[in-house]
């Protein structure tokens, strides 16, 4: 299996992972400024999904190619484009064997994909193959941005509770997907630098997430909306979901709504 297809998440992906209005456009503008992209830049997104990041680029007329294993996820992006004139090309394929010529792109964007692929080192090498000399690979990651004194974000509270429950149930690491490097892991940077890249990190923007409560986030674990729940055997997931319900029942304020502060961080690799 080359990676984990998100086709099973298509019906709820945008509702649970989408940015609040305006954030994706700010992200596009920050990337254009940071990478100094011209309007003629050739862009590739590896693991494009439903176009959460791609759509504002496509709407502004950029040449944008997306590759993803999940045909139905990309189908959502097609619906959003709905017959409008654009320069977007979507390919159902594996980012470990990129269906593209060498040196074809000026920048390759990846967000929350490397923890899903069968071999992230291979994937980074393959992504570099299709990058034009002087181009950039950009890894993006959505991060918590709490300040001292802020209440812990619901996602964090639930993640910790869920992880403790999996510990109680003696769930091994391969059934929790915790061993794969996530986000902007140091190992990605070391691998890129070892291949001769200059790597910089930047926070592209901060924003307030859409309102959420402990209960609403916990339900996503109980309903297996996160890919980390997909590898858990059914019986273990059912037991973990029951224990999480007990944890919610004991929580002092499960329905209090929060709008946690979040940021989008980037790791940018260039070869000169
Ligand atoms: C968490 S989603 C992120 C989508 C998008 N980048 C975003 O930020 O909204 C990960 C995507 O990577 C895709 N994916 C996972 N492994 C892949 C592979 N080996 N080749 C192509 N796509 C893959 C999944 O199908 C899914 O659409």
């Amino acid at each position: 299996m080359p990676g984990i297809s998100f086709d099973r998440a298509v019906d709820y992906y945008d509702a649970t992972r989408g940015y609040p209005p305006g954030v994706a456009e700010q992200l596009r503008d920050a990337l254009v400024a940071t990478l100094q992209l011209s309007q003629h830049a050739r862009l590739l997104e590896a693991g494009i999904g439903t176009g959460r990041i791609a759509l504002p680029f496509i709407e502004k007329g950029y040449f944008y190619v997306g590759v993803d294993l999940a045909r139905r996820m990309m189908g959502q992006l097609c619906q959003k484009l709905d017959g409008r004139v654009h320069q977007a090309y979507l390919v159902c394929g594996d980012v470990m064997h990129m269906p593209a010529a060498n040196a074809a792109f000026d920048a390759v964007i990846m967000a929350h994909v490397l923890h899903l692929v069968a071999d992230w080192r291979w994937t980074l090498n393959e992504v570099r193959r299709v990058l034009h000399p002087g181009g950039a690979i950009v890894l993006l990651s959505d991060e918590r941005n709490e300040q001292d004194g802020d209440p812990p974000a619901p996602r964090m509270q639930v993640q910790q509770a869920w992880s403790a429950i999996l510990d109680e149930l003696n769930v091994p690491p391969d059934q929790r997907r915790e061993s794969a490097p996530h986000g902007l892991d140091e190992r990605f940077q070391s691998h890129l630098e070892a291949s001769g890249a200059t790597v910089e990190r930047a926070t592209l923007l901060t924003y307030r997430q859409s309102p959420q409560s402990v209960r609403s986030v916990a339900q996503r674990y109980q309903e297996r909306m996160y890919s980390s729940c997909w590898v858990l055997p059914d019986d273990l997931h059912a037991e973990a979901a029951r224990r999480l319900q007990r944890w919610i029942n004991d929580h002092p304020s499960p329905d209090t709504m929060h709008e946690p502060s979040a940021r989008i961080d980037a790791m940018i690799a260039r070869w000169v």
Side-chain angles (χ1 to χ4, degrees):
M1 195 173 53
I4 298 185
S5 164
F6 264 48
D7 267 345
R8 64 182 283 173
V10 69
D11 293 331
Y12 57 79
Y13 187 86
D14 283 350
T16 54
R17 310 323 198 260
Y19 293 123
V23 171
E25 287 75 9
Q26 285 179 50
L27 174 59
R28 172 200 61 206
D29 294 345
L31 281 169
V32 168
T34 305
L35 301 176
Q36 298 184 310
L37 295 176
S38 85
Q39 185 67 43
H40 305 291
R42 294 158 302 166
L43 307 177
L44 171 74
E45 185 173 344
I48 190 171
T50 60
R52 185 174 75 127
I53 292 156
L55 190 61
F57 280 97
I58 297 169
E59 285 175 329
K60 223 174 174 184
Y62 281 91
F63 177 89
Y64 206 101
V65 175
V67 178
D68 204 295
L69 288 176
R71 189 180 292 272
R72 294 181 65 218
M73 290 282 279
M74 291 190 293
Q76 288 270 314
L77 174 53
C78 291
Q79 279 180 25
K80 292 174 202 168
L81 294 172
D82 192 24
R84 282 182 278 167
V85 174
H86 57 75
Q87 290 201 82
Y89 303 90
L90 303 179
V91 184
C92 192
D94 175 10
V95 297
M96 293 202 346
H97 302 281
M98 204 69 83
N102 294 352
F105 295 95
D106 298 306
V108 180
I109 298 168
M110 299 185 87
H112 301 291
V113 178
L114 285 175
H115 66 293
L116 301 170
V117 298
D119 185 333
W120 61 264
R121 290 180 183 84
W122 184 287
T123 303
L124 284 176
N125 296 346
E126 178 65 351
V127 165
R128 192 197 165 190
R129 177 184 68 76
V130 302
L131 191 68
H132 192 261
I137 294 177
V138 186
L139 307 182
L140 297 175
S141 185
D142 298 288
E143 300 289 340
R144 293 160 44 227
N145 192 42
E146 290 147 18
Q147 310 298 318
D148 286 348
D150 285 352
R155 177 81 197 259
M156 193 60 208
Q157 294 185 48
V158 178
Q159 219 167 37
Q160 283 172 352
W162 184 253
S163 189
I165 290 168
L166 298 187
D167 287 345
E168 279 166 25
L169 293 171
N170 295 318
V171 176
D174 61 319
Q175 290 176 355
R176 309 163 68 140
R177 292 201 59 78
E178 281 173 1
S179 50
H182 280 65
L184 305 185
D185 194 285
E186 283 292 334
R187 283 168 279 182
F188 301 150
Q189 179 160 351
S190 304
H191 182 81
L192 291 163
E193 285 174 342
S195 72
T198 303
V199 177
E200 67 175 291
R201 289 171 180 257
T203 292
L204 297 178
L205 58 104
T206 59
Y207 66 98
R208 288 269 164 203
Q209 289 182 323
S210 305
Q212 52 190 258
S213 67
V214 160
R215 191 188 303 279
S216 69
V217 174
Q219 272 167 356
R220 295 178 187 175
Y221 281 82
Q222 292 174 310
E223 292 171 19
R224 289 188 130 156
M225 290 184 173
Y226 294 121
S227 59
S228 58
C229 300
W230 299 346
V231 281
L232 207 54
D234 290 350
D235 53 341
L236 274 180
H237 181 268
E239 180 53 28
R242 268 192 293 278
R243 293 186 188 200
L244 189 64
Q245 188 57 48
R246 287 206 290 273
W247 175 82
I248 300 169
N249 296 344
D250 291 341
H251 193 284
S253 51
D255 297 309
T256 301
M257 298 307 280
H258 299 250
E259 292 184 19
S261 177
R263 49 172 218 272
I264 303 177
D265 287 350
M267 182 185 290
I268 302 165
R270 290 186 178 89
W271 289 260
V272 279

